[in-house]
Amino acid sequence: MSALANEPDRVAFIREHTRLLPVPHAPEIALHVAEEATELWQKTEDELAVIGLPPPFWAFAWAGGQALARYLLDNPQIVAGRRVLDFASGSGLVAIAAMKAGAASVEACDIDAFATAAIGLNAEANGVAVTARLDDLVGRDEGWEVICAGDVCYERAMAEAVIGWLGGLSRRGATVLIGDPGRSYLPKDKLTAVATYEVPVTRALEDAEIKRSSVWRLAG
């Protein structure tokens, strides 16, 4: 069993290895993020077998998520009064932005228990209520009116499964928004760009200090 199997232990780990800092492209929101990206990432690689810690996607404000958060904050009518799902939420950045923009309720799902712990911490730090779900919701439809997904097109199998599922939700009337800087498996032929930003990112992870990132609407 992982040495960090319990929620309080995961929360303590997050607090120890991150700082609460404003998001570069959405400074209205603060997140618990890793200041030394490579150090924390290498730590998880080294200690994976010991503490069962997956790569800490939750510890960084990724380009697509920052773009989505900025878009929702600037266009609150997209989510105002609506039920929102932030899929593969990571830090909870987009979920927090949706709540700040006036969503009726927001669920943030991830398959990493450290992410759901981080979502809870970050929502609390920003004074909003977000329901964190440790769950893989691909293939399910619980009636969400808006579904947001940031940075989910970096692996072929995941991108195909997620886009196929989200396409079905779009066809039944949901608003589906994808935040992405143009990663390898982004199906641009199925998407319409609704906003583009120059997003500050972590060079150690993105090989750049600025990523041109877009918010895309998925057609049904």
Side-chain angles (χ1 to χ4, degrees), residues 114-185:
F114 287 89
T116 55
I119 291 164
L121 274 176
N122 289 328
E124 180 181 12
N126 288 277
V128 297
V130 171
T131 301
R133 295 182 61 175
L134 182 62
D135 207 348
D136 181 358
L137 297 178
V138 174
R140 289 155 64 178
D141 185 352
E142 297 182 10
W144 307 288
E145 295 168 279
V146 181
I147 301 95
C148 298
D151 304 286
V152 296
C153 293
Y154 55 88
E155 291 179 350
R156 183 188 299 274
M158 179 180 181
E160 290 178 351
V162 170
I163 295 299
W165 165 59
L166 293 177
L169 297 178
S170 178
R171 284 190 292 275
R172 69 99 165 124
T175 298
V176 177
L177 299 172
I178 311 289
D180 200 279
R183 300 192 193 280
S184 299
Y185 302 110

Side-chain angles (χ1 to χ4, degrees), residues 185-199:
Y185 302 110
L186 183 70
K188 291 185 179 179
D189 59 316
K190 299 179 180 178
L191 303 170
T192 301
V194 295
T196 300
Y197 308 97
E198 301 294 324
V199 180

Side-chain angles (χ1 to χ4, degrees), residues 84-86 95 99 105-109 119 123 128-134:
V84 178
L85 173 67
D86 179 21
M99 282 303 295
S105 64
V106 179
E107 293 177 284
C109 75
I119 291 164
V128 297
V130 171
T131 301
R133 295 182 61 175
L134 182 62

